[in-house]
Structures are given as C-alpha cells and as structure tokens.
Amino acid sequence: MLSLLLGVLAGCATSSYPPAPAGAAEAEYNYVIGPGDTINIVVWRNPELSMSVPVRPDGKITTPLVEDLPALGKDASTLARDIEKALSKFIREPVVTVIVTSFIGPYSEQIRVLGEAAQPQTLPYQQKMTLLDVMIKVGGVTEFADGNAATILRTAEGNKQYSVRLKDLVKRGDVSANVEMRPGDVLIIPQSWF
C-alpha cells in the first residue's frame, strides 16, 4: 500500500512538459513602444515642440502640430521618422529624436506571472531577462507554491508549455534551473497539494 501511495505521489511530481531551454532570447531584439510608455521627443532647433508625452491606451501620441500619431508597435527610430514626416508640413527639414524613458511595452510582449507568486503581476520584457529576474521582481513564491511544478507558457511558440524548477532556483539557489524568458511568456506557479 505504501509503495502504491509513493508511486502516485511521484507521478504527481513529474511534469508532462519538457524542460524550458536555457537560452531563449532572439539575437536581434528591438524594443517596441506600447501603451503606457513615456517617450521624450526632441525636435532639433525647436524647443517649443520638444517634450515628454505618454503613449495613450489606444497606442497613439499627441504633440504640438501632430495629433493622434500611432506609436504602438514601432521602435524609437521609426516613430522619430514618422514625426519628422508629420512636422515637415510646418517645418523645413525637421530633425527628431525619440527616447523611450518609461517602459511598459506592448501587451503581447509583457511577461505575466500567475498563481502562487508573492506578488503576481505583469512585467515589461527586457532583453536577456531570466526566470530569476522575474522571481526577484515578483518577490519570490508563497509558502503554498509548488515551485518545481511551475510552467512557462511560451506564446511566441504557439502556446507551447515548458516545465521550470522554481523551487530549486529560488529556495535552493540552483542556478542551473535559471532560463531565459521571451516576450509574451506566461509563468504559471501552481499551488502545492501538501
């Protein structure tokens, strides 16, 4: 009877998902602007047109002489060229620089942490971000977490799921359990049965 119970418990502890690959980031990652980001626009020789503006929830920005310009999904250089084009109706050969100063990113690239994290939340993705970075930002796991049964749902790979060993990483300091995150990953931390 005891061996049957141990067999059932061992079966519950194993994951049906493959382990997450250690490296996941793409070689070339360009940050794209998302709702809630703050951008600093500098128009050379036109300080009255230079300012810091938020990206609205609809993904657009408004500046003097330029209303409702889409910013969502563009990198800073592309947005600067779009602003130059819009300003060229009013200014001869405008030179614009765009600097993202507050990062949230588009919804599709945010990292989501669900379940038994100390502070479940959504985090902006950063290049080379690891599972350990995510755990530090969410304050670790709760005492009820089954950390070694946690999974990463990788939306960039068609919602493929990978198992991760959070307990080994966070509680035991096993850095071999650390893996890179990708834009749009969802970390799911289940509750322990015991």
Side-chain angles (χ1 to χ4, degrees):
M1 181 70 166
L2 181 62
S3 62
L4 177 65
L5 179 61
L6 290 175
V8 169
L9 290 176
C12 293
T14 60
S15 173
S16 60
Y17 303 112
E26 300 163 359
E28 289 291 321
Y29 174 75
N30 290 320
Y31 181 82
V32 292
I33 298 168
D37 286 353
T38 303
I39 58 173
N40 190 19
I41 300 169
V42 179
V43 183
W44 187 55
R45 293 188 180 171
N46 291 278
E48 66 280 358
L49 299 177
S50 300
M51 63 182 48
S52 184
V53 296
V55 179
R56 300 188 317 235
D58 65 357
K60 297 178 182 177
I61 61 167
T62 299
T63 66
L65 303 178
V66 180
E67 292 183 359
D68 297 336
L69 184 68
L72 180 65
K74 297 178 181 177
D75 63 22
S77 297
T78 303
L79 182 58
R81 300 302 79 79
D82 291 350
I83 295 170
E84 286 174 352
K85 184 178 177 182
L87 287 176
S88 66
K89 299 173 189 172
F90 309 102
I91 301 169
R92 191 174 64 205
E93 298 180 22
V95 177
V96 176
T97 303
V98 171
I99 303 165
V100 182
T101 57
S102 173
F103 303 90
I104 295 176
Y107 298 120
S108 63
E109 291 196 358
Q110 294 174 359
I111 305 291
R112 290 166 176 74
V113 183
L114 307 172
E116 294 299 315
Q119 300 167 352
Q121 59 185 290
T122 301
L123 304 167
Y125 174 78
Q126 297 172 1
Q127 188 172 12
K128 301 289 185 184
M129 178 182 244
T130 66
L131 184 59
L132 182 59
D133 298 325
V134 170
M135 294 314 302
I136 290 169
K137 290 185 182 207
V138 299
V141 294
T142 68
E143 62 182 295
F144 304 109
D146 188 358
N148 283 349
T151 59
I152 292 176
L153 177 73
R154 187 144 288 157
T155 60
E157 295 177 8
N159 292 334
K160 186 172 181 179
Q161 264 187 295
Y162 294 102
S163 65
V164 289
R165 298 179 295 127
L166 284 180
K167 183 177 181 181
D168 292 348
L169 177 65
V170 176
K171 301 286 185 184
R172 297 183 180 132
D174 182 358
V175 293
S176 70
N178 199 15
V179 297
E180 282 188 25
M181 303 297 285
R182 287 195 59 190
D185 278 357
V186 179
L187 176 61
I188 304 164
I189 308 168
Q191 187 175 30
S192 175
W193 290 95
F194 299 99

